Amino acid sequence: MSDGTTRMFFPEIISPVRRIGQREFDFDRQVAIMAIVNRTPNSFHDRGRTFELSRAVDAACRAVEDGADWVDIGGFAFSADQEPITVAEEIGRVAPVIAEVRAKTDAVISVDTHRAEVARAAVEAGADVINDTNGLREPDIARVAAETGAGVIVTHSLAGPGRAVARPVYTDVVAEVARFLRERVRFALDSGVPAERIVIDPGHDLNKNTYHSLELTRRLDEIAALGYPTLAALSNKDFIGETLDRPQGERTEGTIAANVIAILRGARILRVHDVPSTVAAVRMTEAVLGWRAPVHARHNIV
């Protein structure tokens, strides 16, 4: 006899009910939607559309209105194909956006940076979380998180932002990513960051080819099994484009499919460009899993 809920077995999450900034999440039965806002002239998807300050602020606020729980603001593109920028330049890109967005919304704000000085300035401007695609390898960034009370997203990459890796090779990409994340989480804990403020991200496409990213998606449950809320940053990435032979701007359906698979494999935060379509996909997935009631239930009832 079924009780009407879907029986699925997800990894146990450390402190699944979390207060992040001013919002509370239950990652045992909820998926948070993180909107991407880049103040870079060369981001791989938006190509500088939100580089101007007012456009970045407007994009962040619109994302929250569209249903995003979280806004991720970055000023330093991961790709090695960019002109180097100073710490002061990066702070000048992200801190004003964070301050203005913080004044307009209670949504979670994270700063996408690998530099300790930028992280500190961002938290002072109102950021709640440090999203580090360098896996906390920069000196002092974990200490900044511990001292400021910020959360951290620990992401796997072989070389970090702005550094090219030609033809990355893994013997077992999932096992190697899991080992790296386990080690860097231990470093965060030893640096004074509490477990309930840690999120992990396997870093799809970051120093990985399409086969690596597909394997990570297929076996994401092995990453989620580490016990920390798992972020999936799949939106419009090249592994989706190469799988479907779709250029940037034509990867929405592939992104939605990959995100739903990621949820079913344990992802609890989705980092995305297209908030409205993601909200619909996530709400439907949560309802099928028995985590969320339908907005209406009139069909064949009334």
Side-chain angles (χ1 to χ4, degrees):
M1 188 82 178
S2 172
D3 63 2
T5 61
T6 299
R7 300 299 185 187
M8 304 212 43
F9 297 91
F10 294 115
E12 185 174 345
I13 298 173
I14 297 168
S15 302
V17 179
R18 298 187 176 204
R19 188 161 189 86
I20 306 176
Q22 300 174 59
R23 295 203 177 187
E24 186 171 283
F25 301 90
D26 180 357
F27 290 123
D28 271 342
R29 52 188 304 109
Q30 181 180 2
V31 178
I33 297 166
M34 172 195 284
I36 301 166
V37 177
N38 288 314
R39 274 209 80 191
T40 57
N42 56 345
S43 55
F44 81 95
H45 179 71
D46 57 46
R47 304 295 182 188
R49 285 195 295 272
T50 54
F51 184 54
E52 198 273 323
L53 175 60
S54 64
R55 289 190 176 185
V57 173
D58 289 347
C61 293
R62 184 168 57 254
V64 175
E65 291 173 2
D66 286 340
D69 308 287
W70 190 320
V71 180
D72 189 49
I73 297 168
F76 190 113
F78 186 88
S79 171
D81 300 328
Q82 62 179 316
E83 292 294 324
I85 65 169
T86 66
V87 167
E89 287 175 308
E90 189 179 353
I91 291 172
R93 289 180 180 183
V94 299
V97 183
I98 292 168
E100 289 201 34
V101 175
R102 177 79 294 151
K104 296 174 185 291
T105 179
D106 69 349
V108 177
I109 299 175
S110 55
V111 60
D112 179 356
T113 188
H114 64 291
R115 291 161 151 175
E117 302 98 319
V118 179
R120 187 178 294 278
V123 174
E124 290 173 354
D128 306 298
V129 178
I130 300 164
N131 180 12
D132 183 8
T133 53
N134 198 33
L136 303 179
R137 287 178 289 202
E138 181 83 6
D140 295 331
I141 194 165
R143 181 172 60 83
V144 169
E147 290 177 354
T148 61
V152 295
I153 300 170
V154 182
T155 304
H156 174 274
S157 62
L158 290 176
R163 303 181 185 97
V165 176
R167 295 179 179 150
V169 175
Y170 300 88
T171 301
D172 182 332
V173 65
V174 178
E176 291 170 51
V177 167
R179 182 166 58 249
F180 173 92
L181 291 174
R182 194 178 294 111
E183 291 170 354
R184 300 317 297 166
V185 164
R186 172 48 54 189
F187 174 76
L189 294 168
D190 291 345
S191 298
V193 181
E196 62 269 19
R197 295 211 306 262
I198 296 174
V199 171
I200 57 175
D201 175 1
H204 286 77
D205 271 16
L206 304 185
N207 310 139
K208 302 169 186 75
N209 65 30
T210 290
Y211 291 106
H212 297 147
S213 292
L214 288 169
E215 184 79 2
L216 276 169
T217 308
R218 183 162 53 249
R219 295 168 55 194
L220 192 65
D221 56 315
E222 296 175 44
I223 302 298
L226 296 178
Y228 296 89
T230 299
L231 183 152
L234 316 178
S235 184
N236 292 295
K237 285 196 168 176
D238 284 344
F239 86 96
I240 294 173
E242 291 187 354
T243 298
L244 302 177
D245 192 22
R246 295 285 183 88
Q248 280 293 340
E250 298 180 20
R251 300 176 182 177
T252 299
E253 299 91 344
T255 294
I256 291 171
N259 277 332
V260 170
I261 291 167
I263 294 170
L264 298 178
R265 295 291 187 269
R268 291 298 173 266
I269 305 165
L270 301 179
R271 184 176 184 270
V272 300
H273 299 95
D274 183 351
V275 171
S277 68
T278 304
V279 169
V282 167
R283 298 293 176 262
M284 192 68 205
T285 305
E286 290 173 334
V288 170
L289 292 173
W291 297 350
R292 173 183 294 271
V295 176
H296 305 291
R298 296 187 292 257
H299 181 70
N300 282 345
I301 294 177
V302 295

